[in-house]
Amino acid sequence: MSAAKGVREDRLWQRHADMAKLGGTPKGGVNRQALSAEDAAARNLLATWAEARGFSIFTDAIGNLFVQRAGTDAKAPPVMSGSHMDSQPTGGRFDGMYGVLAAFEALEALEDAGVKTRRPVMAVAWTNEEGSRFQPGAMGSAVFAQRYRLDEMLKVKDWKGVVLKDALAETLKAAPAPMLDGPPGFPVGGYVEVHIEQGPRLENARKTIGVVTGIQGSRRYIVTIEGDEAHAGTTPRAARRDAYAAATRLASALYEATTDEDDTLRFTIGRVEVLPGSPNTVPGKVSFTIDLRHPDNAVLDDREKVLETLLVEKTKPCTARLERVTNVPPTYFDPEVIDLVRAKAQGLALSNMDMPSGAGHDAMHIARLCPAGMIFVPCERGISHNEIENATPQDLAAGTRVLVEVLEELANR
Ligand SMILES: [Zn+2]
């Protein structure tokens, strides 16, 4: 039997239903925030399933939970798959959890099919991907990849003042697992994460598998425009340096300059402040935020230059300045893993398309450690971070079949 034939749609669907009870909300979603009692319950349930199959489990100092199926070469770095079990306060039952359960189903499918692999194959549940209770998000994977420092993360507090270190200790007490020695992180031979798309592109294109090419980069800016405050009733047009008028000219030019034909560039002005904020005073100062995202760093560089040019051109006679506050570069997944995902989808006769990820995922950190990629499946109307989030058992199983074939191949390299 091939490993893909070992994937059982009913078992995978039932596991989603079982997990959805932990932190389940009346509207059918979940509230299972990082390092809560519900998170601990999910860890315990996964560990119970793992023990029943004879897989080994262990955790690390940031609470990432690993389930391992042994390979024939115990010294070979494992191939890993997974995602997160924590949710938004009003989250859905598939975001993150699907990636963990698909990885676990892949382990079971390999076991049921009697497939031996050279490398161990590991399912992982990364701690605190959502970042809704403790910030920043994607924390467990970032610590594992040595992107964030463990000691700094342990000091982070939630809005009630609970320190992460204490919440983690409590969680590990409620959901004990053998602890790895030393700081998080170990050699990994490859990483593939499956996730619901959280957008409508697959559904609109009627495709089952998204071959994820990378995760888009994002930059945030603050634009500040300064003019002169003046009397709204007496000041003629020629004498005005109206900061809000300049801001609207700039904003409309920016919307135009960021409208790309294939609708990949994401441009958002999400917060505007007009000062002094009086109905009968010409605004003397306006500031607004820009959130700019694209999978290609060159496009971001190019649009940033356009932004700088328009900033000068469109705001006269006011003065304007631009401050870049964050710059998260795009993740480019490994070309061989991308090709492998596409080839396995085709081999299984599953419709597919290449696409970048609009949202951030744990894979963006692990991609710095080893060859990495992602697989998307459709979710209903693209809705996510919402209790009504939905996906079909068929699509979830299809993504898992692609996953297990990719993992098997990577685990024998
Ligand atoms: Zn997620």
Side-chain angles (χ1 to χ4, degrees), residues 324-377:
R324 188 166 78 188
V325 271
T326 60
N327 180 6
V328 180
T331 302
Y332 301 100
F333 286 137
D334 185 86
E336 280 187 35
V337 176
I338 295 169
D339 288 347
L340 195 55
V341 170
R342 195 187 304 106
K344 295 302 184 187
Q346 271 155 12
L348 290 161
L350 294 165
S351 60
N352 62 87
M353 64 191 262
D354 285 16
M355 60 191 299
S357 173
H361 295 288
D362 292 304
M364 66 194 175
H365 296 305
I366 309 307
R368 294 172 184 274
L369 296 181
C370 64
M374 284 189 80
I375 300 165
F376 278 169
V377 300

Side-chain angles (χ1 to χ4, degrees), residues 136-177:
M139 187 188 279
S141 52
V143 170
F144 184 88
Q146 267 119 52
R147 302 286 299 160
Y148 302 158
R149 288 178 47 150
L150 174 65
D151 56 346
E152 280 172 15
M153 294 304 117
L154 292 175
K155 283 187 233 158
V156 170
K157 287 182 189 159
D158 71 2
W159 65 277
K160 283 181 183 161
V162 177
V163 182
L164 190 139
K165 189 172 187 248
D166 299 334
L168 177 61
E170 196 126 313
T171 301
L172 294 181
K173 205 172 120 197

Side-chain angles (χ1 to χ4, degrees), residues 35 76 81 151 166 169 189 192 218 301 305 310 338 361 367 373 388 402:
L35 307 177
S81 176
D151 56 346
D166 299 334
V192 184
S218 64
D301 282 341
K305 282 206 192 83
L310 291 173
I338 295 169
H361 295 288
I388 65 165
V402 177

